[in-house]
Amino acid sequence: MKLYETAVTPSCRRVSIFLKELGVEVDRVAMNVRDGENLTDAFKNKSVNGKVPMLELDDGTTLCESVAICRYFDESTPNELHLFGRSALDKAQVEMWHRVTEFQGLYAGFQAFRNLSGIYKDREQCVFAWGEESKARVAGFLPQLDARLAASTYVATEYFTIVDITAFIFIGFAEKALELNPLAQYPNIARWFEQIQQRPAFQ
């Protein structure tokens, strides 16, 4: 089994933190996406989306999309962490908050960074105005997340789930890549962020 990754990217970090929470070790294959190693025919023949992370099982089966990889390990590794939720309601809340956090937060942040920085302008059309709009959407989501964390210890449920991994990566991305300073502006996010980063898997 091999995990193809670019360790610093948000999607790969999500899988790495998830695996640390489960206590799972997997062989890693480092990919340089900036140099286009993921754009080769050999890689694209294995990866449905041509992106990292990608998990290759011993029988040659491959999985891409970070949440799908996390689900595979959650189901195939005996554990009592319930990172995708315990009860039917919890699982639904995890799914709901995960989609909200991804689409209104993390993915909008990706669009803002890619279009404003032009980091991949050699392989995609960058639209500065869309980058600005995406950054504004991220900024608009932060008060909603702060309000949620005023009412709940964690994002989706009253215990730690994969949504907290995603939200943690999103807040770090908003701080560093987008310079939005959510930790200085939103006390509930700051309280939660400090709590999350004390977990061993985040060290």
Side-chain angles (χ1 to χ4, degrees), residues 3-189:
L3 182 64
Y4 295 75
E5 65 173 9
T6 301
V8 298
T9 63
S11 294
C12 292
R13 285 190 65 216
R14 170 156 55 183
V15 173
S16 289
I17 293 170
F18 193 93
L19 292 179
K20 286 181 181 179
E21 288 285 344
L22 290 179
V24 172
E25 295 287 343
V26 182
D27 288 339
R28 311 294 177 105
V29 179
M31 301 283 293
N32 189 327
V33 296
R34 186 63 197 88
D35 287 349
E37 288 186 3
N38 61 307
L39 303 178
T40 65
D41 288 340
F43 186 80
K44 289 193 290 186
N45 284 338
K46 292 183 177 183
S47 174
V48 171
N49 63 8
K51 299 176 182 179
V52 291
M54 180 191 75
L55 180 67
E56 184 175 21
L57 304 182
D58 292 338
D59 66 358
T61 302
T62 58
L63 293 169
C64 58
E65 292 293 339
S66 57
V67 177
I69 293 170
C70 290
R71 281 192 178 275
Y72 171 79
F73 282 109
D74 186 58
E75 293 288 339
S76 62
T77 305
N79 72 91
E80 296 297 327
L81 298 178
H82 305 290
L83 294 172
F84 281 95
R86 291 191 185 107
S87 66
L89 178 59
D90 286 356
K91 290 176 181 179
Q93 289 176 319
V94 167
E95 182 72 14
M96 176 183 73
W97 278 105
H98 212 187
R99 290 179 68 84
V100 168
T101 302
E102 285 184 322
F103 289 119
Q104 296 185 39
L106 191 59
Y107 292 162
F110 289 168
Q111 289 299 313
F113 178 71
R114 291 171 75 116
N115 283 281
L116 291 174
S117 70
I119 189 171
Y120 295 122
K121 63 183 178 182
D122 59 330
R123 67 198 68 168
E124 66 184 15
Q125 182 179 359
C126 296
V127 181
F128 192 81
W130 178 239
E132 290 184 315
E133 172 61 23
S134 297
K135 184 174 180 177
R137 293 185 182 193
V138 170
F141 172 59
L142 291 171
Q144 181 183 1
L145 182 60
D146 191 68
R148 170 59 179 172
L149 289 169
S152 179
T153 306
Y154 298 98
V155 178
T157 68
E158 282 300 322
Y159 55 90
F160 178 87
T161 69
I162 189 175
V163 185
D164 296 291
I165 298 175
T166 299
F168 182 89
I169 291 170
F170 159 62
I171 292 300
F173 192 80
E175 278 275 330
K176 296 176 182 177
L178 301 181
E179 300 179 344
L180 286 173
N181 303 315
L183 297 179
Q185 297 182 52
Y186 298 100
N188 299 303
I189 290 176

